[in-house]
Amino acid sequence: MENPITLHIWPRAIAHVDADAFFASVEQSLHPEYRNRPVITGAERGIVAAASYEAKARGVKRGVPLSEVTRICPDCILLPSDYETYSLFSKRMFSIMRRFTPEVEEYSIDEAFLDLTGTRRLHHTSYKEIGRMIQDEIKKELDITVSVGISLSKGTAKLCSKFRKPAGLTAVPGRHLHLLLSRTELSKVWGFGPNTCALLKKHGIKTALDFVDRPVEFVKRLLGKTGCEIWGELRGEYVNRVDTIGRLKQASISKFKTFTPPTADRGVVRARALRNLEGACIKARRYDQVAGKLIVFLRGQDFSTEGLEIRLPRPSASPVDLTGTLTELFDEIYRPGKLYRATGVVLAELVDSMPLQFGIFEEPERVMKHRSVFGAVDAIGERFGKHTVFLSDGLKIPKQHEGPRGRVARRRAEVLPGETSRQHVKLPMLH
Amino acid sequence: MEIKITKNELLGGLSLVQGIVERKTTMPILANVLLEAKSKGLTLTATDLEVGVTSNLAAEVITDGRVAVHARGLYDIVKELPNETVHLTVGENQWVEISCGRAIFKVVGLSPEEFPALPKKGDGATVKLEGEIIGEMIEKTSFAMSSDETRFNLNGVYIEQEKGSDGGILRMVATDGHRLSIIEREIKGKWKLSKGVIIPRKGIYELKRLVENADGPIDVSIDEKHVVASGKGTTLIIRLIDGQFPPYKQVLPSQVKRNIAVDRQMILQVLKRVSILSVDRSRGVKFAFSPKNLEVSTSNPDLGEAREELPINYKGEKFEIGFNARYFIEVLNVMGDEQAQFQMGDDTTPCVLKSEKDKGFTHIVMPMRL
């Protein structure tokens, strides 16, 4: 057997908790009659957003069109996504994790990193047992299963949680790290895409262990700084910290939305792009940031995607400022008569909104007025829901989920007494 | 081709063209300098297709000829040669042999035919301008040019002529969208510039080098597409920026609410000290005016804060405004006065800086919200 990478057992204990088929599991948790049956969500989009393990066993994969699903798995239960309920489950899942350690990084809606270092004394047991306790409590309280991986760094913990799934529990201490890595294909490593894998294979590297056995200079030359970080992570070095604060600032904000039915109407497609712009601007303003660059994408019904980007003369997070620029980019890529299915907007090169340098060829009064208008728009949005006040082009957007395929999650279609369509009590809806 | 030339003459000529030779170019020939030997002497030509330069050097020409040589390589060789006569011959297949003292170099040359021809001088009238004046005008405006490539029409200095008694008034304007510098000088002689033109950044720097080296009057002519400037054996041909310069005259505030005189050296020192702690990107500092006092301050959550007061002759009510310190430092640096005049409105209107000594100079800085 090869030599261990490190002799330390637990210099750090980082856990990665990953919910199994999260959206589908939540549906199964709320609807016991769906238990042990193939369930998929994403019915409103026409493609699979999440598939339960029963559905996966029948060959249903993420992103597959629904027509395909009904062909390979006719008894499949197709459900529209109910993001409101999923995010409630997600919040509860994170709060269960916080009982074990305060250092929880909410990495996405269904996964988190936990720094468990030093908590053995608190819980009077091993790190692996702590992992099992987290699984048990989540199962008991939310009736969903999670896979837990525990190791020395975020990168290796993520490998562990993927190692056995669903409901897997894998703990790899430092002296066994090389065993895990020797069984890990390059493509499974967090941060390696097909191009990096192909490049590394040319150098005779097949597994993650082959990779970490190479000297750091070699990695630096081939893959640069990020490659070195992955190299260190895989060797069990705690390079990427568990970020408990959450990101205070964004580097870029992207809003990409598919709509049904597809349309060729310029006004509607543009209005959809503008709605994405508004959404991205709302988020930028929430972080007190302004964008230096605007990127616009259009995706046709044939999945051909075209995009354009432009540097803005003055950083901004005001849709009114950016509408003109967006329309210019839009008209460059929009083809009359073509059917479009999605639009996307990215605000990039985000910087702090203050201090604000006034331009010599603009009116500072107008800039300040814009800012206070959108301050008010945000305050209204806070109270009555996002996009309560929107650009008038938004009137061209047909109501979502209308048409033959339109299906709405029950949480949206029905309201509890006292609720409005925009304001919901923070509770999932049971039978 | 075969010539003899003193090392210093050749080195001077080569150093002049270095700034123009394109380093990272898609056209390899542009990294070369064209050497042309004719009875009168040696002519060096370099261009990046935006700015071109030709320089005439005194040399003893044994046989005429032309060759293109890698500009940086040739410069590096000549720089290290002993201070003697350089003997330069071009052999077969454009091999260039450089010998000086006992040192011999053989370098690869390229066919002169590949070298792009410089545009011919247009039909614009030529006028003699004082190099010193042009140099000063460039110095007092060029720092305000924009380096943001998306605003190409601001990546240079705008030049226009206003009718007057004799040659009229020559005006240069530069702005990056946040501040604007204007300088005017009376010129002599019959010259007519029908409309304003924009000289690109690189051209401006080369023009400044030209007037510094020429040490006297230079000949300038401007046509639709190019400006041609020559002095002391060197000629620059600069392609003008094809764009509209923004309507800068509208920016000048029509009325002044506050007129404040500040000791230039003193405020310069204060700004340099205080801005050490201002945020890198914006360099925001706060100016707080109160009777007889100006407090300049900055605070940066990551670093700390700085504050300094200086006495001034201000009489009005208390008033605060934010600025990018770098913009003030740069303009105060080029002013020659003891006292700088700040003309201000409120905290969203621009500050106009005026010079007592140089009535033709006006600078405008937009405030920032801190």
Side-chain angles (χ1 to χ4, degrees), chain A residues 284-322:
Chain A
R285 293 196 300 267
R286 186 157 13 106
Y287 287 94
D288 278 326
Q289 287 181 299
V290 283
K293 192 186 243 176
L294 174 70
I295 307 168
V296 181
F297 291 104
L298 296 182
R299 174 169 293 169
Q301 184 60 7
D302 56 357
F303 280 87
S304 62
T305 310
E306 276 186 86
L308 268 183
E309 61 174 57
I310 196 169
R311 292 229 22 222
L312 300 166
R314 184 174 54 77
S316 172
S318 151
V320 177
D321 264 357
L322 302 177

Side-chain angles (χ1 to χ4, degrees), chain B residues 22-270:
Chain B
E22 194 68 27
R23 284 200 182 83
K24 17 174 206 204
T25 172
T26 46
M27 280 175 71
I29 188 73
L30 298 185
N32 289 263
V33 54
L34 181 69
L35 310 181
E36 281 176 291
K38 268 188 192 159
S39 54
K40 281 177 273 175
L42 178 70
T43 305
L44 304 183
T45 305
T47 180
D48 66 350
L49 301 181
E50 186 184 280
V51 181
V53 65
T54 61
S55 184
N56 297 315
L57 306 178
E60 182 196 330
V61 178
I62 299 156
T63 49
D64 290 3
R66 306 187 327 143
V67 71
V69 188
H70 191 268
R72 184 80 218 178
L74 185 60
Y75 176 71
D76 287 343
I77 290 170
V78 174
K79 194 171 62 182
E80 301 304 336
L81 289 178
N83 207 352
E84 291 172 36
T85 302
V86 180
H87 189 176
L88 197 146
T89 29
V90 179
E92 262 180 41
N93 289 330
Q94 320 294 345
W95 278 98
V96 182
E97 189 179 298
I98 305 147
S99 63
C100 181
R102 279 182 244 175
I104 299 175
F105 287 83
K106 258 184 136 176
V107 294
V108 187
L110 286 172
S111 160
E113 312 307 325
E114 283 181 46
F115 203 86
L118 293 190
K120 291 271 170 290
K121 189 180 149 325
D123 49 6
T126 303
V127 68
K128 271 205 186 321
L129 295 172
E130 272 312 313
E132 204 181 320
I133 292 177
I134 298 298
E136 190 199 357
M137 290 176 82
I138 291 174
E139 196 192 327
K140 286 186 171 178
T141 49
S142 58
F143 66 92
M145 290 186 288
S146 170
S147 53
D148 179 355
E149 280 172 31
T150 57
R151 309 178 85 172
F152 68 98
N153 58 333
L154 304 184
N155 290 177
V157 172
Y158 179 72
I159 297 182
E160 64 176 1
Q161 189 186 14
E162 201 158 285
K163 277 187 196 131
S165 51
D166 191 1
I169 289 166
L170 185 68
R171 184 182 297 128
M172 288 195 192
V173 191
T175 178
D176 63 1
H178 298 154
R179 53 185 164 164
L180 183 129
S181 217
I182 305 175
I183 189 159
E184 295 174 345
R185 286 286 183 271
E186 279 186 24
I187 51 162
K188 294 183 182 73
K190 285 204 177 93
W191 192 42
K192 216 170 152 293
L193 187 57
S194 52
K195 65 178 181 64
V197 296
I198 311 168
I199 300 182
R201 158 183 293 274
K202 194 169 175 181
I204 284 292
Y205 292 144
E206 290 305 322
L207 189 57
K208 188 156 181 252
R209 274 182 14 139
L210 179 84
V211 296
E212 279 164 4
N213 287 331
D215 195 23
I218 57 164
D219 292 320
V220 178
S221 86
I222 298 177
D223 63 25
E224 283 284 310
K225 289 206 171 88
H226 299 95
V227 51
V228 181
S230 53
K232 216 179 171 187
T234 304
T235 303
L236 269 180
I237 301 170
I238 305 163
R239 194 171 71 202
L240 299 169
I241 290 179
D242 185 14
Q244 278 286 324
F245 200 74
Y248 68 91
K249 281 182 186 164
Q250 295 170 10
V251 173
L252 291 159
S254 48
Q255 50 184 342
V256 180
K257 211 162 142 192
R258 303 175 167 88
N259 211 334
I260 308 152
V262 186
D263 184 297
R264 185 178 68 94
Q265 281 300 338
M266 219 194 260
I267 183 122
L268 202 50
Q269 296 307 321
V270 168

Side-chain angles (χ1 to χ4, degrees), chain A residues 8 43 58 100 110 194 229 242 261 290-291 332 409:
Chain A
H8 291 284
R58 305 274 289 272
F100 294 87
D110 64 346
E229 282 176 14
V242 171
V290 283
E332 285 285 319

Side-chain angles (χ1 to χ4, degrees), chain A residues 27 44 79-86 401 407-414:
Chain A
E27 295 291 353
E44 81 291 351
L79 299 169
S81 303
D82 177 6
Y83 293 105
E84 188 177 335
T85 304
Y86 305 154
H401 313 305
R407 281 188 65 189
V408 184
R410 198 164 140 243
R411 190 70 186 88
R412 285 183 70 148
E414 298 167 25

Side-chain angles (χ1 to χ4, degrees), chain A residues 178-366:
Chain A
H178 61 289
L179 300 175
L180 172 75
L181 297 183
S182 69
R183 285 183 224 168
T184 305
E185 279 174 47
L186 282 179
S187 59
K188 300 279 185 253
V189 174
W190 192 25
F192 283 175
N195 278 312
T196 315
C197 291
L199 179 64
L200 290 173
K201 281 201 180 112
K202 284 190 178 50
H203 290 269
I205 297 170
K206 289 192 196 78
T207 66
L209 188 64
D210 296 341
F211 177 64
V212 297
D213 277 344
R214 293 299 177 101
V216 67
E217 295 77 22
F218 165 82
V219 177
K220 170 116 198 175
R221 190 164 48 78
L222 213 60
L223 305 175
K225 189 166 158 267
T226 24
C228 288
E229 282 176 14
I230 293 173
W231 184 84
E233 284 264 312
L234 289 177
R235 293 179 67 94
E237 290 160 25
Y238 184 49
V239 182
N240 286 323
R241 307 263 136 183
V242 171
D243 176 11
T244 50
I245 312 156
R247 264 179 284 172
L248 290 173
K249 294 291 170 192
Q250 302 283 322
S252 71
I253 293 169
S254 149
K255 293 277 168 193
F256 191 92
K257 291 215 172 102
T258 306
F259 45 84
T260 49
T263 178
D265 186 316
R266 178 185 174 275
V268 176
V269 182
R270 180 173 160 273
R272 298 238 182 231
L274 281 175
R275 176 56 58 94
N276 280 335
L277 173 69
E278 286 178 282
C281 285
I282 290 171
K283 190 164 177 192
R285 293 196 300 267
R286 186 157 13 106
Y287 287 94
D288 278 326
Q289 287 181 299
V290 283
K293 192 186 243 176
L294 174 70
I295 307 168
V296 181
F297 291 104
L298 296 182
R299 174 169 293 169
Q301 184 60 7
D302 56 357
F303 280 87
S304 62
T305 310
E306 276 186 86
L308 268 183
E309 61 174 57
I310 196 169
R311 292 229 22 222
L312 300 166
R314 184 174 54 77
S316 172
S318 151
V320 177
D321 264 357
L322 302 177
T323 300
T325 315
L326 181 135
T327 307
E328 274 174 40
L329 295 181
F330 179 89
D331 284 333
E332 285 285 319
I333 45 184
Y334 171 79
R335 307 250 173 77
K338 183 173 170 174
L339 271 182
Y340 286 97
R341 72 189 321 267
T343 65
V345 166
V346 181
L347 296 180
E349 292 180 8
L350 291 169
V351 292
D352 289 344
S353 64
M354 282 294 178
L356 162 68
Q357 169 72 56
F358 295 122
I360 227 164
F361 302 105
E362 67 184 6
E363 295 162 47
E365 304 288 351
R366 224 182 121 238

